[in-house]
Amino acid sequence: MLSIIEQIKQGKLWDFHGGIHPAENKALSSKQAIKAAGIPQELILPLKQHIGSRGDIIVNIGDYVLKGQPLTQGDIAMCVPIHAPSSGTITAIEQRTTAHPSGLTDLCIVIATDNQDTWCHATQYPDYQDRDPAELIEAIRLAGIAGLGGAGFPTARKLQGGLGNVDILIINAAECEPYITADDRLMQDYADEVIEGIRILRHIISPKLTLIGIEDNKPDAIKALEACVNEDDNIIIRVIPTKYPSGSSKQLVKLLTGREVPSQARSTSIGVIMQNVGTAFAIKRAIVNGEPLIERVVTLTGEAFKQRGNVFALLGTPIAYLLEKFDYKADKKYPRVIIGGSLMGFTLPHANVPITKITNCILTPKRKELPLHTYEMACIRCSACADACPASLLPQQLQWYAKDKNYDKCEEYNLSDCIECGACAYVCPSEIPLVQYYRQAKAEIWERKQDEMSAERARQRFEAKQQRMDRDKAERENRFAKAATDRRQHMATAGGDDAVAAAIARVKAKQAAATDTATPTIKPAVAAAIAKAKAKQAASVSEEAIPDNSEMAALRKQRKLQAREQKAAKHAELMQQQTVTEQPPEQASDKKDAVAAAVARAKARKAAQQAQSTTETQPAVDAKPATEVDTDVSVDPKKAAVAAAVARAKARKAAQQQPTAATEPTAEVNSDVANDPKKAAVAAAVARAKARKAAQQEQATAAAEPTVEVNSDVANDPKKVAAAIARAKARKAAQQEQATAAAEPTVEVNSDVANDPKKAAVAAAVARAKARKAAQQEQATAAAEPTIEVNTNVESDPKKAAVAAAVARAKARKAAQQQPTTAAEPTAEVNTNVESDPKKAAVAAAVARAKARKAAQQQQITAAEPTAEVNTNVESDPKKAAIAAAVARAKARKAAQQAQSTTETQPAVDAKPTTEVDTDVAVDPKKAAVAAAVARAKARKAAQQANKVQPNIEEE
């Protein structure tokens, strides 16, 4: 039986499964020779243009580089460097879009060319036949050569793996992809260099047979190669039928040798190594000419190009530069730029994408030339894809699993054997883009495998670390054990015992001694200290000493006293606010000061009473209030008590006389006064004197009150001290208010009073008004404490209380009845002698004004007491009768104060009627008559206002 090599030499060919025959469209670009594309202004060089890892950058931004100068370097076989395609300056090292179906970016070196195209030093091997294959393989790697057929596998790595393992070298010249003619034109124009590159490969690998597989649609290329091959080369040019994808590695091996490459294996595993025509040409340039891979042949085709053909394009040339230079006219509706052929190519996102080592074609078809597959329809299960698959796969099942992301099933159905030729998508009637699903699934599977590999490497590193730590621990323990053994041996030879054993024995002996001894041994110093402590404790227990807590008790009492004072002050403020809010708005401002003073005095009296009751049980003496008492009283406590009793008696007498003084003006006005003007004037003067005397007695009482609160026990009680201080402050405020009221009348009398009789009269009237106001404020203070006015006689005699209440009501009614009569006969008081005697006229006017005021006050008092009648229950109950009398008197005073406050708001009216009668008024009888008339008019107006108010009050 003939061997495979003998069968090949006899011209036998084999076939592969599937395949298609699409329109070739190669004549568009195969008619013209290869031209130079020129040098663009900018070159974009991706760091990774091959299968494998990228190299390390050895240049910086701003460096000037020469043509052919390496830009990266690497130490492994799967890493090939890139070189500067032309001289220029590096302007950037950044992310740029690369020629990849994903359209993603990658790290790129950008060179701004200088159009000088200056070469760097090159290493050449013209005598490659005398060189070692390993040296030539390294030169190929340093030249950056990778497979130019489209896969981009590093050539040096493939050659290194085929040394001594292959017997057949296949040069792939089929170029089965439609539209692409790069290899065809390269063989036609540079056949001698291609054959020279094949000779270099033969020298490195030393195969038994060399085959050039070329399709029968390239007759010109076949003739050019046959013209360059001689008998000594042992190169066979084998023409194969045109069938897509016969240019694939596995399919071409099957065609030429009949051998099948196993799944997930390379052709070198069956003794075959394959290289592309373009790769052989690049090897010749690198070894013989010393030129690294810096350019390649690119096909520019498609009806959108006006100048079609093949060009030598520098790596990194932007596609936009080629489109512009070779007259690209984009389709109006569907402009497309495709890298690769019509079956395996992919559309670019934009034209600013560089040429790389695996870019063999730029296709710019129009819409009619290459229809769009835009509508994916449902699979009809026609099995056309399975019939066309050259790898004998099941594209339908693979598409389902890839779409469902069932990647385990995809691997089970050998998705990795798919060469992505696009034959299945080409024959699919549903226009399903099958290859896109396969590419995506492959990327996902590859990423998962990388993660698994990373995890496996991490596991291996962890296990190695654990083993190293265990090994170090074992070594450390062995070292310690050896050191202990050596120490024991040394001590044994020296005649001594083991130190560790001796120490352990001593510890055990001590423990045994401590266990046997019932009582622990105590040092003498410790025993003495314990004895002293016990003695002190016993002495403290035996003594029955009572702790002295007097200081703490005094501090506690002082704190309680301060708290009580704060509480009393807050209560006083609250009562004052309530009193102000209960009064009408027009009265609150006038009575505010008087009420405040009254409340302060009431609180002071209450505090004094509490202090007196407390002093009977507390022997402490208050030191501070003694300053208000003279030296005799402070020395003798009996005298202090007597002085306090005297002061309290005077205060009660003044309070009892105050209501009597308030009612006395009504008794002074009788029938005689009404007929005698002089008596009326005398009565008015007497009333004013009594009012002043009452105010003075009140001040004297307030001044004497501090002595009431001082007794023999005050000086020792801090609580009483604070209470006395509070009361003194309250009295001082009241005294200042009264002093202000008493001093104000003198302010209004100036130097003009003596010269002007009218001003003198006005000043006298103002003084009388101030005196009345002070008396009324005192009455208001007494009204705030109605229980103070109920004396012992009223409480003990219910009949007197009832009589007093009845008398008050009768006087109020009589005043109300007299008011209309007085208002109706205002001129009755003026007799015939008034007109002839000016003095009598003035007296009559004063009497009239006094009666008018009295009538108005009584009217208001009557209106304020509509329900003041005493029923039978009051007369039978002495306490209720006393309270009723006090309430009646308080209301009467309140009404009088309201009337007087109303008259004080009009000083012009109030000043004239109250003008005192002097000798100057008698000079002008006309003025006296006018003053009398004005007074009567004001009296009528006040009476009318009182009458208007009375019905409303009676209705209530």
Side-chain angles (χ1 to χ4, degrees):
M1 184 177 179
L2 297 176
S3 64
I4 297 296
I5 295 177
E6 292 176 351
Q7 292 179 7
I8 293 172
K9 288 183 178 179
Q10 292 180 1
K12 184 178 181 179
L13 295 174
W14 288 263
D15 195 6
F16 60 88
H17 178 270
I20 58 176
H21 295 82
E24 297 180 0
N25 295 324
K26 293 180 180 290
L28 295 174
S29 58
S30 62
K31 301 300 182 180
Q32 298 178 0
I34 301 174
K35 298 182 294 185
I39 303 173
Q41 294 181 354
E42 186 180 65
L43 295 173
I44 304 171
L45 297 170
L47 299 185
K48 185 177 180 182
Q49 304 181 28
H50 58 277
I51 294 177
S53 60
R54 62 189 181 187
D56 299 328
I57 301 174
I58 58 176
V59 292
N60 298 316
I61 298 174
D63 293 350
Y64 180 80
V65 295
L66 300 175
K67 185 176 182 178
Q69 178 180 340
L71 304 178
T72 62
Q73 65 178 6
D75 298 332
I76 58 177
M78 291 297 292
C79 176
V80 295
I82 60 174
H83 300 76
S86 182
S87 59
T89 304
I90 298 176
T91 58
I93 302 175
E94 59 187 9
Q95 297 286 332
R96 294 288 185 93
T97 305
T98 60
H100 192 271
S102 64
L104 299 177
T105 60
D106 195 6
L107 189 62
C108 301
I109 298 176
V110 182
I111 301 175
T113 60
D114 57 1
N115 291 323
Q116 300 297 323
D117 215 22
T118 305
W119 275 93
C120 67
H121 175 72
T123 303
Q124 301 176 357
Y125 299 93
D127 55 344
Y128 63 88
Q129 295 177 354
D130 299 333
R131 299 283 180 175
D132 185 73
E135 184 180 0
L136 297 178
I137 290 174
E138 182 64 18
I140 292 172
R141 187 186 72 83
L142 293 177
I145 299 175
L148 302 182
F153 195 88
T155 302
R157 179 68 182 87
K158 184 182 287 189
L159 294 175
Q160 189 176 6
L163 291 176
N165 297 327
V166 298
D167 52 3
I168 299 175
L169 173 62
I170 297 176
I171 303 300
N172 188 350
E175 198 174 36
C176 61
E177 180 84 11
Y179 286 98
I180 304 175
T181 60
D183 293 344
D184 186 7
R185 287 311 309 182
L186 183 63
M187 289 185 290
Q188 293 182 38
D189 298 340
Y190 299 92
D192 55 345
E193 295 189 40
V194 171
I195 297 300
E196 189 67 20
I198 295 172
R199 293 190 183 107
I200 296 172
L201 289 173
R202 281 181 54 79
H203 173 72
I204 295 172
I205 298 173
S206 300
K208 298 179 180 179
L209 181 65
T210 301
L211 296 175
I212 298 177
I214 185 172
E215 287 184 341
D216 57 5
N217 59 356
K218 303 176 182 62
D220 296 335
I222 295 172
K223 292 179 181 180
L225 293 176
E226 289 177 351
C228 296
V229 174
N230 53 37
E231 295 179 359
D232 297 334
D233 294 333
N234 195 15
I235 297 174
I236 300 175
I237 299 174
R238 184 66 67 200
V239 180
I240 60 176
T242 302
K243 182 182 179 181
Y244 182 82
S246 59
S248 177
S249 175
K250 293 182 178 182
Q251 280 67 37
L252 187 59
V253 170
K254 176 70 175 177
L255 281 172
L256 296 177
T257 64
R259 298 176 181 177
E260 291 187 359
V261 180
S263 177
Q264 298 183 0
R266 296 188 180 94
S267 59
T268 54
S269 62
I270 58 174
V272 178
I273 187 171
M274 182 177 294
Q275 294 292 344
N276 185 263
V277 174
T279 306
F281 176 77
I283 291 173
K284 184 268 174 184
R285 288 286 183 94
I287 299 299
V288 177
N289 304 109
E291 297 180 8
L293 183 58
I294 57 175
E295 63 179 3
R296 69 155 299 151
V297 180
V298 179
T299 300
L300 304 179
T301 184
E303 294 183 358
F305 269 118
K306 297 301 179 182
Q307 299 181 26
R308 308 178 190 95
N310 294 276
V311 296
F312 273 112
L314 297 176
L315 300 181
T317 300
I319 294 177
Y321 168 78
L322 299 176
L323 296 177
E324 182 181 359
K325 187 170 182 178
F326 293 95
D327 297 334
Y328 166 70
K329 302 296 180 183
D331 188 80
K332 294 182 179 180
K333 291 186 177 181
Y334 301 104
R336 286 176 293 172
V337 177
I338 300 172
I339 286 186
S342 59
L343 295 176
M344 296 186 67
F346 56 88
T347 304
L348 295 174
H350 55 82
N352 195 20
V353 174
I355 297 294
T356 61
K357 297 177 181 180
I358 60 176
T359 303
N360 56 2
C361 179
I362 297 176
L363 176 62
T364 58
K366 291 188 176 180
R367 180 169 53 88
K368 294 181 180 180
E369 180 183 2
L370 189 64
L372 292 171
H373 302 279
T374 56
Y375 299 101
E376 177 182 347
M377 293 175 284
C379 177
I380 61 174
R381 303 181 183 180
C382 62
S383 73
C385 56
D387 296 337
C389 181
S392 301
L393 300 176
L394 298 175
Q396 179 184 357
Q397 282 77 6
L398 288 174
Q399 188 262 341
W400 289 345
Y401 296 137
K403 194 173 183 179
D404 193 40
K405 297 183 179 180
N406 190 350
Y407 301 128
D408 294 335
K409 278 291 185 180
C410 290
E411 290 184 295
E412 183 180 347
Y413 279 80
N414 301 318
L415 178 62
S416 59
D417 293 339
C418 176
I419 61 175
E420 301 179 16
C421 63
C424 55
Y426 181 80
V427 299
C428 180
S430 298
E431 299 185 1
I432 300 174
L434 298 171
V435 179
Q436 294 183 12
Y437 288 106
Y438 304 153
R439 286 174 177 169
Q440 185 176 2
K442 282 183 177 180
E444 293 289 341
I445 292 172
W446 181 84
E447 188 173 356
R448 289 174 58 184
K449 287 184 177 180
Q450 292 297 320
D451 294 341
E452 292 175 358
M453 292 173 60
S454 299
E456 180 64 21
R457 287 194 294 269
R459 185 186 64 80
Q460 292 176 0
R461 289 196 301 271
F462 177 76
E463 291 178 354
K465 180 181 177 181
Q466 289 296 115
Q467 292 176 1
R468 185 176 66 256
M469 294 176 65
D470 294 342
R471 186 171 59 253
D472 294 343
K473 183 179 180 181
E475 291 177 357
R476 187 167 55 254
E477 291 177 352
N478 293 333
R479 188 169 60 254
F480 290 161
K482 183 179 179 181
T485 303
D486 294 343
R487 185 171 58 255
R488 292 190 187 95
Q489 292 178 357
H490 176 71
M491 294 184 68
T493 56
D497 295 333
D498 190 357
V500 176
I504 293 172
R506 287 194 300 272
V507 171
K508 289 182 178 179
K510 290 180 180 179
Q511 291 178 354
T515 304
D516 296 339
T517 304
T519 58
T521 303
I522 301 175
K523 294 182 179 181
V526 176
I530 293 173
K532 290 179 181 179
K534 290 182 177 180
K536 289 181 180 179
Q537 185 176 5
S540 62
V541 171
S542 61
E543 293 178 358
E544 295 180 356
I546 299 174
D548 187 7
N549 296 329
S550 60
E551 295 181 358
M552 297 301 295
L555 293 174
R556 192 178 298 109
K557 289 180 180 181
Q558 186 175 1
R559 287 195 297 270
K560 289 182 179 180
L561 178 61
Q562 292 177 357
R564 193 176 301 163
E565 291 174 0
Q566 293 176 359
K567 185 175 180 181
K570 290 182 180 179
H571 184 67
E573 293 179 359
L574 181 62
M575 292 298 293
Q576 181 178 358
Q577 293 177 0
Q578 292 178 355
T579 306
V580 174
T581 53
E582 290 175 359
Q583 292 178 356
E586 63 273 5
Q587 298 176 5
S589 59
D590 296 334
K591 296 183 178 182
K592 185 176 181 181
D593 298 335
V595 172
V599 171
R601 286 194 296 275
K603 294 297 180 181
R605 295 190 190 94
K606 184 176 181 181
Q609 294 172 3
Q610 291 177 355
Q612 291 176 1
S613 62
T614 308
T615 52
E616 295 177 0
T617 59
Q618 296 180 354
V621 179
D622 194 356
K624 291 184 180 179
T627 57
E628 299 178 2
V629 190
D630 56 4
T631 56
D632 296 334
V633 176
S634 60
V635 173
D636 193 353
K638 294 182 178 181
K639 291 182 180 181
V642 172
V646 171
R648 286 196 295 273
K650 289 182 179 180
R652 293 192 196 94
K653 184 178 180 180
Q656 294 172 3
Q657 290 176 355
Q658 186 64 29
T660 306
T663 56
E664 281 179 0
T666 58
E668 295 175 358
V669 182
N670 51 21
S671 59
D672 296 334
V673 176
N675 298 324
D676 191 352
K678 293 182 180 181
K679 291 182 180 181
V682 172
V686 171
R688 288 194 297 273
K690 288 183 178 181
R692 293 190 193 96
K693 184 177 180 181
Q696 292 173 1
Q697 288 177 355
E698 181 62 26
Q699 292 177 0
T701 304
E705 281 180 356
T707 59
V708 179
E709 301 171 4
V710 181
N711 53 23
S712 59
D713 300 332
V714 174
N716 296 326
D717 193 353
K719 296 181 180 180
K720 295 178 181 180
V721 173
I725 292 172
R727 290 192 300 274
K729 290 181 179 180
R731 296 189 197 97
K732 185 176 181 181
Q735 291 172 5
Q736 290 177 353
E737 180 66 25
Q738 293 176 0
T740 304
E744 282 179 359
T746 60
V747 178
E748 298 177 0
V749 180
N750 52 21
S751 61
D752 296 334
V753 173
N755 299 325
D756 192 349
K758 294 182 180 180
K759 291 183 179 180
V762 171
V766 170
R768 288 192 298 275
K770 295 295 182 179
R772 294 190 194 92
K773 184 176 180 181
Q776 291 171 2
Q777 288 177 353
E778 184 61 30
Q779 292 174 3
T781 304
E785 300 173 359
T787 57
I788 299 174
E789 298 177 0
V790 181
N791 52 21
T792 56
N793 296 328
V794 176
E795 292 178 358
S796 60
D797 193 352
K799 293 181 178 181
K800 291 182 179 180
V803 171
V807 170
R809 288 194 298 275
K811 289 181 179 181
R813 293 191 195 96
K814 184 177 179 180
Q817 293 173 2
Q818 291 177 353
Q819 181 64 28
T821 306
T822 306
E825 297 178 358
T827 59
E829 300 176 4
V830 183
N831 54 19
T832 57
N833 297 326
V834 173
E835 295 178 359
S836 59
D837 192 351
K839 295 182 179 181
K840 293 181 179 181
V843 172
V847 172
R849 286 192 297 274
K851 290 182 177 181
R853 291 191 197 93
K854 182 179 178 181
Q857 293 174 2
Q858 290 178 353
Q859 182 65 25
Q860 291 176 359
I861 292 170
T862 306
E865 297 179 353
T867 59
E869 297 181 2
V870 181
N871 53 19
T872 57
N873 296 328
V874 175
E875 295 178 357
S876 61
D877 191 351
K879 293 184 179 180
K880 290 183 179 180
I883 293 172
V887 170
R889 288 193 297 273
K891 289 183 177 181
R893 296 189 192 95
K894 185 175 180 181
Q897 292 172 3
Q898 290 177 351
Q900 187 171 0
S901 63
T902 304
T903 57
E904 289 178 357
T905 57
Q906 300 175 357
V909 178
D910 216 14
K912 290 182 180 180
T914 57
T915 304
E916 296 181 357
V917 179
D918 54 6
T919 57
D920 295 334
V921 178
V923 177
D924 194 351
K926 293 182 179 181
K927 291 182 179 181
V930 171
V934 171
R936 288 192 298 274
K938 296 298 181 180
R940 293 189 198 96
K941 185 175 182 180
Q944 292 173 2
Q945 291 177 353
N947 291 331
K948 290 180 181 179
V949 176
Q950 183 177 1
N952 296 329
I953 298 174
E954 291 177 354
E955 289 176 0
E956 295 175 358

